[in-house]
Amino acid sequence: MSLTTYEMARVLEQLEESPEKIMFGKLLNELGNQSEERIRSAAKQVPIYILRDIVYQFQKVIESRKGEQVEILAKELAKQGISAEELQKYLDK
């Protein structure tokens, strides 16, 4: 039985920190470094239902990682001596 790249990615997602999962992450990172035209050209070769699922999965990851960015920003502000309350007062202006 031969798996498509997408099906293989789903299987790898279920594994922990396997070499395959790490390589798939590197592949996605490299995809992100490609030109807009190249990404669109490649995406046109993928069925729409798969593209929708990929976008949905990426959106879930983005939502789950927003907290990471908030935490990084909070630490940077704290290093600069800016409290959460001061930031809130500024944003309320």
Side-chain angles (χ1 to χ4, degrees), residues 2-53:
S2 177
L3 293 176
T4 66
T5 303
Y6 182 73
E7 291 169 281
M8 187 171 172
R10 285 185 157 220
V11 171
L12 293 175
E13 182 63 31
Q14 296 171 3
L15 302 174
E16 284 301 313
E17 292 300 319
S18 68
E20 294 88 359
K21 187 173 182 180
I22 292 169
M23 288 304 296
F24 187 65
K26 289 181 180 182
L27 176 68
L28 288 175
N29 196 40
E30 184 60 33
L31 174 64
N33 291 328
Q34 300 300 310
S35 70
E36 183 177 321
E37 180 181 318
R38 197 165 196 183
I39 293 170
R40 286 182 179 181
S41 175
K44 288 178 183 177
Q45 298 175 36
V46 179
I48 290 176
Y49 74 95
I50 292 177
L51 287 174
R52 284 187 179 124
D53 191 42

